[in-house]
Amino acid sequence: MTQRPFTTLSAALALAACAAPVSRGPAPLVAPPAAAAPVGTAAASAGGLDLAGAAATITPADMYARIEFLASDRMRGRNTPSPELEIAAEYLVNQYKLMGFAPAGENGTFYQWYPYPLRRLRAEGAGFEVRGSAGAERLALGRDFFSAGGTAQPLSGGLVFAGTGRDEVMGEGSLRDRVVLLALPGRYTRDFRLERTRQVNAARRAGALAVVHLLEQGWTADSIATYAEASRRAGRTLGAALAYPQFFVAWPAADRLFRAAGLSLPELWRGAATTQPVPLPGLTAQAGLPVETLEESRAPNVVAVLPGSDPVLRNEYVVLSAHMDHVGVGRPVNGDSIYNGADDDASGTSGLLEVAQALAGMGVRPRRSIVFLHVSGEEKGLLGSQWFSEHPTLPLAQIVANVNLDMIGRNAPDSVVVIGKDYSSLGPLAERVQAAHPELGLTLSDDLWPEERFFFRSDHFNFARKEVPAIFFFSGVHEDYHQPSDEVEKIDTDKAARISRMVFYLVNEIANAQERPRWDPRGLAEVRRMTR
């Protein structure tokens, strides 16, 4: 297909992506003001821009040029992994070097690389066998179960039913060396996948060798066969270690196991939400999911930091995040097969760069350090932010807040949804900043689509699950979501620039406040319920 030509500035940005490293250190630190300025006031100038002047450098024209480069056809949808994703990462690194930011990745660089190998289940060796005094029964892959994850060696352990896997039932280490069976109601919907993930996390904390998800009676033989076939296909997994072994067992096979132990699966299923762990007496599982690696690969995160000016608070960090990846090249739609991802999430990525540029031009730096985290693998399941949250390049305990931007360039021009603002002091602070800057013309809305579970669907989630206060600026999906038609011409760059200015003001307030952001107790309880 014909590629759109670059504008002059986009061509310059493309050249910057491959430019030689710039030998330019960060600007000298200056003394902070005696106390944080009130919301909405301008900082004093010290050879640079004041707050309002810095915010004014965030422009629709700059947003357009950055998005146009990142979402051009030449970037081929920035799939994870791909050469084009690495070009996007190199572009970001060079932009931060030009702005004078310091590296905050691994080994003194701006990069954090995570393993993302291509693997395949060796179906001929996959199995789940239950042994008891009356003999053994081997369940058949594709008829009785399908699977996920893998095992380096066959595993063996006693069977325990733990209902739906609530935390109060499955305490840390309480099921060590056991194979836990958990009731997993529903079909393969988003809520089903979220519940499955919660159960896996609970089983791992409890020390179980593997989790057996018991499927409800509505699952058909054809569905089991279809998902079993899919499990045999090659796929990529996060990390060098094998993914946690999971078996999804059909109701008829599960019912036979419980009857062999003298138990009633229907009766236990009815009380699954409240049941205490029930061993299956006399039964042990012998199971394995052997996996072969077809290709070693890796994907990048980019991490840059603007050091704070306060000698104490500079050791605390406000993290701004956005994902730089999209879904690559796929099924053609009207002759176009490149899924450009202009709104998702070249808009948020460009917003971070504009905020960074505004901060770099200020005469007085914020008191806390500000980290710009561009993750990849978001479209594959929040992989880059998951890796960063589990292998942080900065002390996780010193990260005081996360502000995430994803899809900020479409829909209603004068409003943006701020997901998570009811959970911590970040929400009321954002509303005070919004009230102090009526010139932005923005309304900060609550989550308008709770049924879509957007709290779970962008990178702030991996900070919230680590109990770092987090909020997510998001303008909603649209008809071009995950389509080749998500292109720069459809971006409301004025809206994207105003949201970025809002984030700039908010981040300054977080970074200059004497106290860290705080969870609302009810909000934290809700986050724990959703993330565990």
Side-chain angles (χ1 to χ4, degrees):
M1 60 176 294
T2 303
Q3 296 178 339
R4 298 190 310 279
F6 284 175
T7 64
T8 302
L9 182 51
S10 290
L13 294 176
L15 291 173
C18 301
V22 178
S23 177
R24 176 181 169 186
L29 297 180
V30 296
V39 170
T41 62
S45 177
L49 297 170
D50 64 12
L51 199 63
T57 67
I58 302 173
T59 67
D62 285 355
M63 289 292 297
Y64 186 96
R66 294 188 188 281
I67 296 169
E68 186 182 29
F69 169 65
L70 289 165
S72 69
D73 286 347
R74 299 182 190 185
M75 297 297 283
R76 294 179 61 79
R78 311 183 306 280
N79 197 22
T80 303
S82 69
E84 292 78 19
L85 178 67
E86 295 190 23
I87 290 172
E90 188 176 358
Y91 159 67
L92 294 168
V93 166
N94 278 284
Q95 291 296 296
Y96 286 111
K97 288 179 179 178
L98 287 166
M99 295 177 198
F101 279 63
E106 298 168 326
N107 303 316
T109 74
F110 287 88
Y111 289 98
Q112 181 190 42
W113 295 92
Y114 59 89
Y116 194 38
L118 183 67
R119 290 174 168 146
R120 180 173 59 199
L121 175 69
R122 287 197 286 111
E124 66 276 7
F128 190 93
E129 183 175 279
V130 177
R131 298 177 181 176
S133 58
E137 178 178 2
R138 186 174 180 84
L139 305 188
L141 178 65
R143 183 194 69 198
D144 297 319
F145 76 94
F146 61 91
S147 65
T151 56
Q153 300 292 332
L155 57 87
S156 176
L159 293 168
V160 177
F161 176 69
T164 55
R166 295 175 298 118
D167 275 350
E168 55 268 36
V169 170
M170 296 170 58
E172 187 169 349
S174 62
L175 297 175
R176 197 168 306 282
D177 300 327
R178 303 292 188 91
V179 175
V180 63
L181 295 84
L182 299 176
L184 182 58
R187 306 296 195 278
Y188 218 87
T189 62
R190 181 183 298 124
D191 285 346
F192 176 92
R193 295 193 298 271
L194 291 171
E195 177 64 6
R196 163 197 164 181
T197 300
R198 187 196 64 77
Q199 289 189 352
V200 167
N201 291 338
R204 295 184 75 162
R205 284 195 299 271
L209 296 171
V211 61
V212 177
H213 302 287
L214 305 178
L215 304 174
E216 66 181 20
Q217 294 187 64
W219 282 76
T220 66
D222 286 345
S223 295
I224 300 294
T226 297
Y227 285 108
E229 181 59 33
S231 72
R232 296 185 180 104
R233 299 184 197 129
R236 295 192 180 276
T237 57
L238 176 64
L242 297 176
Y244 189 68
Q246 302 171 64
F247 300 85
F248 299 79
V249 176
W251 182 278
D255 190 42
R256 293 196 302 272
L257 301 184
F258 278 75
R259 282 191 281 111
L263 300 171
S264 168
L265 176 57
E267 181 179 337
L268 289 169
W269 186 281
R270 284 192 294 271
T274 58
T275 190
Q276 295 298 308
V278 178
L280 275 64
L283 298 185
T284 61
Q286 307 287 324
L289 295 172
V291 171
E292 58 183 337
T293 299
L294 305 179
E295 176 189 303
E296 298 288 359
S297 188
R298 63 179 190 165
N301 293 329
V302 171
V303 197
V305 63
L306 184 71
S309 59
D310 187 285
V312 175
L313 292 182
R314 68 183 300 167
N315 296 314
E316 296 182 349
Y317 304 93
V318 182
V319 175
L320 278 72
S321 60
H323 70 93
M324 58 183 166
D325 66 308
H326 196 53
V327 298
V329 178
R331 177 180 59 84
V333 178
N334 298 324
D336 188 353
S337 62
I338 299 176
Y339 289 62
N340 303 83
D343 193 27
D344 187 15
D345 184 32
S347 65
T349 301
S350 299
L352 256 62
L353 285 171
E354 287 295 292
V355 172
Q357 179 178 277
L359 286 165
M362 288 180 64
V364 177
R365 287 188 178 183
R367 301 171 73 194
R368 288 184 175 86
S369 298
I370 301 177
V371 175
F372 289 80
L373 173 65
H374 297 267
V375 296
S376 60
E378 192 269 357
E379 302 288 4
K380 309 298 185 184
L382 313 184
L383 301 183
S385 58
Q386 178 183 339
W387 186 265
F388 181 86
S389 70
E390 294 175 356
H391 306 83
T393 59
L394 302 160
L396 190 67
Q398 290 166 222
I399 296 176
V400 304
N402 169 239
V403 180
N404 186 56
L405 279 67
D406 195 349
M407 299 181 67
I408 61 169
R410 296 286 296 273
N411 297 328
D414 298 323
S415 68
V416 60
V417 170
V418 184
I419 291 175
K421 73 185 182 77
D422 295 333
Y423 297 149
S424 75
S425 62
L426 292 174
L429 177 59
E431 290 173 342
R432 292 199 299 274
V433 171
Q434 179 252 355
H437 291 282
E439 77 278 5
L440 297 178
L442 284 174
T443 297
L444 306 186
S445 299
D446 294 327
D447 187 355
L448 302 176
W449 319 276
E451 71 282 358
E452 293 292 336
R453 311 292 294 275
F454 285 120
F455 179 83
F456 298 89
R457 294 170 58 183
S458 195
D459 295 296
H460 65 288
F461 172 80
N462 281 314
F463 287 92
R465 73 184 181 89
K466 295 292 187 178
E467 301 192 0
V468 174
I471 56 173
F472 167 28
F473 284 80
F474 174 59
S475 290
V477 298
H478 40 73
E479 66 275 8
D480 301 308
Y481 174 66
H482 282 195
Q483 296 296 313
S485 50
D486 182 8
E487 304 205 38
V488 66
E489 290 84 2
K490 297 183 178 181
I491 298 295
D492 182 345
T493 53
D494 179 69
K495 175 180 180 174
R498 286 183 287 124
I499 292 172
S500 299
R501 288 186 209 120
M502 170 71 202
V503 170
F504 166 76
Y505 286 125
L506 174 63
V507 167
N508 268 279
E509 294 297 333
I510 300 169
N512 283 317
Q514 186 63 35
E515 302 295 328
R516 291 179 170 211
R518 301 180 311 279
W519 286 105
D520 177 274
R522 288 176 297 180
L524 181 57
E526 178 69 6
V527 167
R528 286 173 174 170
R529 185 189 68 79
M530 291 190 295
T531 59
R532 294 185 180 183

